[in-house]
Amino acid sequence: VFNAKTAELLSHHQVEIQQEFPREGWVEQDPKAILNSVYECVEKTCEKMKQLNINIANIRAIGVTNQRETTVVWDKTTGEPLYNAIVWLDLRTQSTVERLLKRIPGKNKTFSKFKTGLPLSTYFSAVKLRWLLDNVEEIRKAVEDGRAMFGTIDSWLIWSLTGGKNGGIHCTDVTNASRTMLFNIHTLEWDPELCKFFDIPMEILPNVRSSSEIYGLMKICPSLTSGALTGVPISGCLGDQSAALVGQMCFQDGQAKNTYGTGCFLLCNTGQKSVFSEHGLITTIAYKMGKDKPVFYALEGSVAIAGAVVRWLRDNLGIAKTSQEVEKLAAEVGTSYGCYFVPAFSGLYAPYWEPSARGIICGLTQFTNKSHIAFAALEAVCFQTREILDAMNKDCGIPLSQLQVDGGMTNNKILMQLQSDILCIPVVKPSMPETTALGAAMAAGAAEGVGVWSLNPGDLTAVTCERFEPQINPEESEYRYARWKKAVMKSMGWESSEAPSNGKPK
């Protein structure tokens, strides 16, 4: 909850959502658990507000932000999900992508780039939805019976929060729609040709709206008697990376931010024109702040594994009990001692788009220990960011003079210093880390009919920041970066879809 005049964070609550890994490369979440976590966060935050003596009747609008490409199909008559949500970095659709590629003249991965801004990849929702239609009998049947609804997590939440099977609003915003591969980012409509190519029935798709308008009102949740925010309009919706761009106040052409979460996402505002990358970045919608407002575009570099590599060291290798401990281990050595870690657990995203890559740790010697591996993992996050920043500079023609950063991993001071060293430019971090939530709140508060938040640059409060300046000489940075690129080459072409598979899912 934010103050609409000062953008100050008043109160918040968070719940970690369990991911499920039913098979190698598969990543799922329970849509009901996601919805329940939202209810829990709303109730707990409202309780905290009461303890602070803030009247919750002052909450005027609700914004929604979400991990973008994660795909859910649910039954509109029962309100129940028909399968787990398939999470954005899930890889099960590799064979689906290869099958679709065969239908494109010259197997051109970028065939839809000028309509969607996206390459054909396991990452985007259309191929996840295609997989669900091909493999889940219940979903096929629901589509035939006209009971199925598709959405990214924002659609599932807005539909559920505005009444679900009793009149819930089935919508999404332009930023989330632009991540499905079914949406034309110029006409701002679902594209019939693409829907035909993926063989997806258009009637299951949500209505596409702007990022800042009243979609519907919060309804009471039957399982929670209090329903503290019943009747409050839901009036902001942005995919998480767009929300962070707004929360970092990057409203000017050429302003960019990098968010360090599970993955890493560098977005650069390109204004009201869509710029197509020659260097492996994708073109996406940054925001559209109202029905009659213009649409703004962004160039985006996406890295699949950032914070997830720290979680992997913690949960899979057990070399540390907490994420903070990974930072401590890295700090003890201050170098990877020639060890390089390419965390291509879900293939490589930008700028390579190479699904066949797999993770490697190379340059090991008898001297290497877990601290060096921890350091190499943090360094990997920084090298991956450098690769997308290099691509961004080539596409935009104007090198960034500093990088604005946000996201959970930015609390790691070692990582931030390392990032500045590897980029050879300052890294600037706002002291309030919840930038993504702030962006969603700004969109909600600025909506027509709410009007409690001004987006005029003059009215926006300057954010207090922490700066990290480069501390090593550029030659050393270049040398390490060149070695990293060599390691990346070694991670490619590892997996082929011809490997014997172990049957279809149950």
Side-chain angles (χ1 to χ4, degrees):
V1 180
F2 296 91
N3 178 321
K5 292 282 175 281
T6 63
E8 173 198 0
L9 178 65
L10 300 176
S11 175
H12 67 99
H13 186 75
Q14 64 186 50
V15 179
E16 188 166 343
I17 298 169
Q18 286 306 305
Q19 306 226 59
E20 296 169 32
F21 304 98
R23 287 197 191 169
E24 192 200 345
W26 291 30
V27 191
E28 297 179 359
Q29 285 176 337
D30 174 359
K32 296 288 283 273
I34 296 174
L35 180 60
N36 289 333
S37 76
V38 170
Y39 283 129
E40 186 183 334
C41 285
V42 167
E43 297 302 314
K44 289 279 199 303
T45 304
C46 288
E47 282 166 28
K48 290 179 186 175
M49 300 280 283
K50 284 174 186 157
Q51 287 159 13
L52 294 165
N53 287 327
I54 303 171
N55 183 354
I56 58 169
N58 288 333
I59 297 179
R60 295 285 298 280
I62 297 166
V64 173
T65 178
N66 57 296
Q67 293 188 345
R68 298 170 297 178
E69 300 74 12
T70 301
T71 299
V72 195
V73 180
W74 67 95
D75 184 322
K76 65 179 168 198
T77 53
T78 64
E80 293 294 312
L82 293 165
Y83 193 82
N84 268 347
I86 300 185
V87 175
W88 59 275
L89 45 64
D90 182 282
L91 278 181
R92 76 187 67 186
T93 52
Q94 190 46 46
S95 55
T96 311
V97 169
E98 281 164 22
R99 199 179 72 238
L100 291 166
L101 269 177
K102 289 195 178 108
R103 293 176 33 203
I104 302 166
K107 288 193 175 182
N108 178 7
K109 264 186 205 174
T110 61
F111 83 108
S112 70
K113 182 168 125 173
F114 293 104
K115 276 186 177 180
T116 65
L118 313 173
L120 183 57
S121 158
T122 56
Y123 179 23
F124 306 108
S125 312
V127 286
K128 301 182 194 307
L129 180 51
R130 185 63 259 153
W131 187 93
L132 287 166
L133 293 166
D134 289 339
N135 291 283
V136 183
E137 185 55 47
E138 228 181 315
I139 287 182
R140 252 202 313 269
K141 183 132 182 37
V143 170
E144 280 164 25
D145 300 349
R147 293 180 284 115
M149 285 185 157
F150 151 80
T152 39
I153 297 297
D154 56 308
S155 300
W156 161 243
L157 290 178
I158 292 173
W159 184 81
S160 302
L161 297 172
T162 56
K165 60 184 179 184
N166 304 313
I169 307 290
H170 190 212
C171 69
T172 186
D173 88 302
V174 289
T175 66
N176 281 296
S178 77
R179 312 300 292 188
T180 58
M181 284 208 93
L182 301 171
F183 187 69
N184 185 317
I185 60 175
H186 311 291
T187 63
L188 305 186
E189 287 171 350
W190 297 119
D191 189 285
E193 281 177 16
L194 287 167
C195 291
K196 201 170 153 197
F197 174 76
F198 288 104
D199 192 16
I200 283 165
M202 290 182 81
E203 57 276 11
I204 72 173
L205 304 177
N207 288 322
V208 185
R209 316 269 289 263
S210 77
S211 315
S212 176
E213 61 180 86
I214 295 176
Y215 312 110
L217 305 180
M218 219 23 190
K219 295 274 185 345
I220 197 153
C221 161
S223 62
L224 290 167
T225 43
S226 79
L229 299 181
T230 303
V232 177
I234 299 177
S235 56
C237 178
L238 288 158
D240 52 3
Q241 303 313 323
S242 286
L245 193 73
V246 170
Q248 286 264 32
M249 323 279 174
C250 295
F251 293 120
Q252 243 89 55
D253 198 338
Q255 285 184 306
K257 66 88 206 167
N258 196 27
T259 299
Y260 299 76
T262 306
C264 232
F265 300 89
L266 180 64
L267 267 73
C268 179
N269 188 334
T270 62
Q272 291 177 43
K273 58 179 192 300
S274 50
V275 174
F276 289 95
S277 172
E278 300 294 317
H279 303 95
L281 303 179
I282 57 190
T283 306
T284 202
I285 293 182
Y287 50 82
K288 181 182 186 324
M289 286 303 190
K291 272 184 212 169
D292 310 320
K293 295 285 196 304
V295 65
F296 280 72
Y297 295 92
L299 269 177
E300 171 173 341
S302 337
V303 168
I305 304 291
V309 72
V310 174
R311 203 181 303 155
W312 182 83
L313 290 174
R314 183 191 75 189
D315 299 348
N316 295 32
L317 291 196
I319 72 169
K321 288 197 175 54
T322 64
S323 305
Q324 286 72 28
E325 218 177 299
V326 175
E327 182 181 356
K328 271 224 297 284
L329 286 171
E332 282 166 15
V333 284
T335 167
S336 70
Y337 208 78
C339 163
Y340 289 82
F341 188 159
V342 182
F345 301 155
S346 300
L348 288 166
Y349 285 10
Y352 303 101
W353 299 104
E354 191 40 80
S356 70
R358 284 297 173 273
I360 60 166
I361 302 176
C362 54
L364 299 173
T365 67
Q366 281 177 311
F367 181 72
T368 312
N369 62 31
K370 64 182 181 182
S371 299
H372 298 120
I373 290 173
F375 192 93
L378 295 185
E379 216 172 19
V381 175
C382 301
F383 285 134
Q384 291 183 107
T385 300
R386 163 99 193 243
E387 289 192 300
I388 51 182
L389 193 68
D390 283 359
M392 194 82 74
N393 288 340
K394 285 178 193 150
D395 281 324
C396 293
I398 313 158
L400 281 187
S401 53
Q402 61 174 39
L403 182 64
Q404 287 175 238
V405 301
D406 58 76
M409 284 188 94
T410 60
N411 296 330
N412 183 329
K413 286 195 165 28
I414 300 237
L415 180 74
M416 292 297 96
Q417 185 54 55
L418 204 52
Q419 186 66 84
S420 176
D421 289 346
I422 286 168
L423 296 178
C424 306
I425 56 173
V427 166
V428 181
K429 170 197 169 199
S431 47
M432 197 281 296
E434 301 295 338
T435 317
T436 304
L438 175 61
M442 289 167 71
E448 193 181 330
V450 178
V452 293
W453 205 302
S454 164
L455 297 179
N456 291 338
D459 300 333
L460 295 170
T461 326
V463 193
T464 47
C465 289
E466 194 178 347
R467 278 175 79 86
F468 296 86
E469 303 278 348
Q471 290 179 355
I472 62 172
N473 67 31
E475 289 74 39
E476 188 192 337
S477 179
E478 290 306 317
Y479 172 74
R480 278 158 54 185
Y481 183 47
R483 296 282 293 270
W484 155 262
K485 283 183 109 63
K486 198 166 151 189
V488 171
M489 289 303 139
K490 301 239 184 292
S491 76
M492 303 244 199
W494 191 258
E495 222 17 88
S496 84
S497 61
E498 275 66 69
S501 85
N502 43 6
K504 274 201 168 176
K506 290 185 191 53

